[in-house]
Amino acid sequence: MVDEATRKSLSGIPLLKTKAGPRDKELWVQRLKEEFQALIKYVETNKQQDNDWFRLESNKEGTRWFGKCWYIQDLLKYEFDVEFDIPVTYPTTAPEIALPELDGKTAKMYRGGKICLTDHFKPLWARNVPKFGIAHAMALGLGPWLAVEIPDLIQKGVVVYKEK
Amino acid sequence: MEELKKRIEQLEQELKIEKLKNETSSVARPKISQMSSEVVDSNPYSRLMALKRMGIVENYEKIRDYTVAVVGVGGVGSVTAEMLTRCGIGKLILFDYDKVELANMNRLFFQPHQSGLSKVEAAANTLSFINPDVQFETHNYNITTMDNFQHFMGRIKEGSLTNGPVDLVLSCVDNFEARMAINAACNEINQIWFESGVSENAVSGHIQFLIPGKTACFACAPPLVVASNIDEKTLKKDGVCAASLPTTMAIVAGFLVQNTLKYLLKFGQVSYYLGYNAMQDFFPTMMMKPNDGCDDYHCRLRQKEQRESLILNPVKETVSEEIAAVIHEDNEWGISLVDESEPVVEGAHSEIAPGIHAAYDLPVAEEVVEGSSDSVDANVSLEELMAQMKSM
């Protein structure tokens, strides 16, 4: 189910240990630390491999996340705001990553710009609770989504390059 | 600027609602203080009260004492709320964070002119016109986020007509996250609820009755799927996430409210699980026991309480019926089930009952993805990590 490229990018992301969600007080702080360490490692690896593609930060409770992700095609950088909430049932359920500015522009989205994940994502996530975290959701969910959808949206003229 | 825009949007919505109220108030009927069984054209309850005369329901008026929470007011939830409203339920609490859109018009209930209104407000407006005797409480938020979840639990605990727990929660949401949130809340509060769902290909659906500690909770097993007998290879998901049909949604809403009425008004038998396969008109039923290794702490706690209460009160279980087999007591038309043993293509996953299987199996060792397991440096504070991430 997981292709070689994904498996390779996943192997660079530390697995998490603490099974705790935002309602779990001190344990959640522990989990958040693991989340940040995994994300930092993942971004570092991406940079080393010349495949840097997102930045994220959170509110101080770690319940709301926001940042940018980008996709490069023909040397042009297409950048999008990314955001999501951590549900109370996290990490049993994965975060629902959203790209609000693309809401309504593609059918591969649920309302509010939440990306439509593949049939494989949820079973894979469920089998890897609590080891998968936000970094894994980005690598397995948003990464492949951008790689499929953005070239298509560019071709259709729905997404156009903006000088930033 | 942004705030002003929002404010204008809000005021426009309010204006829209007020206009609707004015249009409708001229023809609205007055409230009725007591349900009458008198059979006259002007009595909106005469056909419901007839259920008493026919011996189906012992005390239909009791419905006015009950409060039902409907979570998700979409294709299934809106129809569910309308049915309960027409049945004269005491109070409805509606939860949904979404707005009415033209893309919803392939489903029942909402109308094009309501586009842009919040679903809960638009629904309460229409419903209170249909039956002014029903009390409505609406919450326009996403129940899965921290703050809203706390409030949601509070309303389930204290939202009834007597400020106690609601009598039943009906899950009419369209995603796994929200179902898991409702499940967590109901296990924690010890609240009986129904789950409902329609598949993303619109040709199957189900309802499930959940009694914490007594039946399997939503986290006890991977989500259940009614076999649709469609070859996955021919099912194209390119370009869309979900399809929907008003028919399937209305059928599932009908099942849901029928079982709600049976549970509240104590008639017939409440189905623990009732599936619907539209391709073959197949309706599997079953009952699933809780998983003693369930991931949800409160589910395990409720199971423990259940075991203890069974030891204290060793009542003979009168509900030892439906495990899988369906026996019809009389069969005057000579109808029998035909073995439709076509290969079930999705059946790669463990079948729970005939025609029902898990969406996926848990856990399969080889599926577990390897990753480097750097241990967490305990000396680094969260603030430092946040700052480090921000400066990347």
Side-chain angles (χ1 to χ4, degrees):
Chain A
M1 279 187 201
V2 181
D3 62 39
E4 241 355 91
T6 315
R7 199 175 281 275
K8 194 161 171 270
S9 72
L10 279 179
S11 68
I13 308 173
L15 293 172
L16 288 76
K17 292 196 180 67
T18 310
K19 184 172 183 285
R23 299 180 74 215
D24 294 320
K25 300 191 175 77
E26 299 86 34
L27 273 180
W28 174 238
V29 175
Q30 177 63 25
R31 170 87 191 186
L32 268 181
K33 283 164 84 171
E34 294 174 16
E35 294 282 2
F36 274 102
Q37 280 175 327
L39 277 165
I40 290 164
K41 182 76 200 305
Y42 182 42
V43 172
E44 278 170 355
T45 315
N46 287 342
K47 280 182 172 179
Q48 282 159 18
Q49 294 171 348
D50 200 22
N51 180 33
D52 195 18
W53 67 276
F54 75 89
R55 282 296 177 281
L56 276 179
E57 56 184 293
S58 79
N59 63 356
K60 69 178 197 305
E61 294 83 15
T63 51
R64 177 144 190 83
W65 292 71
F66 46 91
K68 302 231 176 272
C69 65
W70 53 91
Y71 184 82
I72 293 168
Q73 182 170 306
D74 302 328
L75 303 174
L76 296 176
K77 185 178 175 184
Y78 299 85
E79 196 174 76
F80 309 97
D81 286 333
V82 49
E83 61 175 49
F84 54 90
D85 289 300
I86 297 292
V88 285
T89 47
Y90 188 81
T92 305
T93 64
E96 295 179 283
I97 299 170
L99 307 177
E101 66 203 273
L102 295 183
D103 189 13
K105 292 186 174 174
T106 157
K108 291 276 192 75
M109 263 185 174
Y110 298 106
R111 59 193 130 51
K114 288 173 181 172
I115 62 166
C116 183
L117 297 163
T118 70
D119 286 347
H120 306 309
F121 180 82
K122 282 184 183 180
L124 186 64
W125 183 277
R127 283 192 269 267
N128 286 281
V129 175
K131 289 176 285 183
F132 277 7
I134 292 161
H136 298 86
M138 295 296 278
L140 284 164
L142 186 57
W145 191 93
L146 290 174
V148 172
E149 294 306 313
I150 301 304
D152 187 46
L153 291 173
I154 293 170
Q155 202 209 334
K156 285 180 182 153
V158 178
V159 164
V160 286
Y161 176 71
K162 275 176 280 185
E163 197 81 46
K164 287 207 178 170
Chain B
M1 260 311 268
E2 270 303 300
E3 269 179 31
L4 268 177
K5 266 189 194 165
K6 269 188 187 160
R7 181 80 190 126
I8 291 172
E9 208 174 284
Q10 195 190 341
L11 286 170
E12 277 175 345
Q13 285 223 5
E14 278 171 26
L15 185 68
K16 211 167 172 180
I17 290 163
E18 283 309 312
K19 272 187 182 164
L20 278 173
K21 274 186 192 158
N22 285 337
E23 277 167 25
T24 53
S25 60
S26 52
V27 275
R29 71 159 166 88
K31 291 190 182 193
I32 296 170
S33 61
Q34 197 141 35
M35 279 189 179
S36 147
S37 51
E38 198 189 353
V39 185
V40 285
D41 294 351
S42 59
N43 178 8
Y45 298 116
S46 62
R47 301 300 163 94
L48 293 165
M49 294 292 275
L51 288 165
K52 273 170 64 167
R53 293 197 187 176
M54 293 192 177
I56 304 289
V57 179
E58 208 171 297
N59 190 0
Y60 191 86
E61 298 99 305
K62 197 86 175 90
I63 198 160
R64 294 195 115 174
D65 300 340
Y66 294 124
T67 302
V68 172
V70 178
V71 191
V73 189
V76 174
S78 61
V79 176
T80 295
E82 178 172 345
M83 287 177 176
L84 288 169
T85 299
R86 290 184 186 272
C87 286
I89 193 83
K91 179 178 174 184
L92 278 179
I93 310 181
L94 308 175
F95 297 88
D96 200 303
Y97 68 91
D98 216 1
K99 284 185 176 146
V100 180
E101 284 170 13
L102 286 178
N104 302 141
M105 296 305 142
N106 71 321
R107 282 153 257 177
L108 304 181
F109 190 73
F110 290 116
Q111 300 192 16
H113 69 83
Q114 292 172 314
S115 305
L117 293 177
S118 82
K119 285 186 177 173
V120 288
E121 244 175 306
N125 188 51
T126 307
L127 296 174
S128 54
F129 176 59
I130 292 173
N131 188 344
D133 299 330
V134 180
Q135 272 195 35
F136 296 94
E137 177 180 320
T138 59
H139 299 288
N140 183 204
Y141 58 56
N142 175 356
I143 62 155
T144 70
T145 64
M146 270 297 276
D147 301 344
N148 297 337
F149 186 73
Q150 290 306 329
H151 188 267
F152 170 67
M153 289 230 294
R155 293 320 295 150
I156 299 303
K157 268 192 275 192
E158 290 159 7
S160 83
L161 287 169
T162 51
N163 301 320
V166 302
D167 296 286
L168 199 60
V169 173
L170 303 180
S171 163
C172 304
V173 299
D174 62 358
N175 64 87
F176 181 62
E177 294 72 22
R179 287 188 176 92
M180 288 295 273
I182 297 167
N183 186 63
C186 291
N187 279 336
E188 195 166 325
I189 307 169
N190 204 2
Q191 170 68 51
I192 295 178
W193 63 292
F194 269 102
E195 135 68 10
S196 72
V198 173
S199 65
E200 290 203 329
N201 62 15
V203 289
S204 69
H206 71 275
I207 61 159
Q208 187 176 351
F209 188 39
L210 297 100
I211 308 172
K214 196 177 161 196
T215 66
C217 89
F218 195 72
C220 277
L224 303 177
V225 178
V226 178
S228 58
N229 294 26
I230 298 171
D231 190 335
E232 268 188 16
K233 284 176 226 117
T234 65
L235 183 66
K236 293 196 172 64
K237 276 195 83 177
D238 299 346
V240 278
C241 311
S244 67
L245 279 171
T247 46
T248 313
M249 293 190 157
I251 288 164
V252 169
F255 279 157
L256 183 63
V257 177
Q258 194 79 295
N259 279 278
T260 296
L261 294 174
K262 288 196 282 181
Y263 169 70
L264 294 176
L265 299 174
K266 299 179 178 62
F267 64 98
Q269 227 171 53
V270 179
S271 284
Y272 286 103
Y273 185 98
L274 173 55
Y276 169 47
N277 163 346
M279 301 300 260
Q280 277 142 348
D281 278 344
F282 172 54
F283 306 85
T285 59
M286 63 150 184
M287 190 233 177
M288 199 162 65
K289 290 241 149 45
N291 170 3
D292 53 19
C294 179
D295 219 28
D296 186 303
Y297 165 76
H298 288 99
C299 173
R300 297 195 307 272
L301 190 68
R302 300 291 163 245
Q303 291 183 50
K304 191 168 159 258
E305 288 168 3
Q306 184 73 22
R307 282 192 298 271
E308 285 165 0
S309 88
L310 275 178
I311 292 164
L312 286 173
N313 315 298
V315 218
K316 260 216 148 181
E317 279 277 286
T318 46
V319 276
S320 55
E321 357 85 358
E322 56 220 70
I323 299 304
V326 184
I327 298 148
H328 301 277
E329 278 160 10
D330 53 8
N331 191 1
E332 61 178 306
W333 305 104
I335 298 165
S336 67
L337 274 177
V338 179
D339 183 17
E340 294 162 302
S341 44
E342 291 163 38
V344 178
V345 199
E346 314 98 309
H349 307 300
S350 48
E351 194 169 50
I352 306 234
I356 305 163
H357 61 86
Y360 44 83
D361 288 326
L362 280 178
V364 178
E366 58 171 335
E367 256 306 317
V368 176
V369 174
E370 294 289 314
S372 64
S373 44
D374 303 2
S375 60
V376 174
D377 189 346
N379 299 321
V380 193
S381 77
L382 181 58
E383 288 69 28
E384 285 171 294
L385 286 168
M386 282 180 166
Q388 191 187 340
M389 182 73 197
K390 210 170 171 175
S391 67
M392 287 188 93

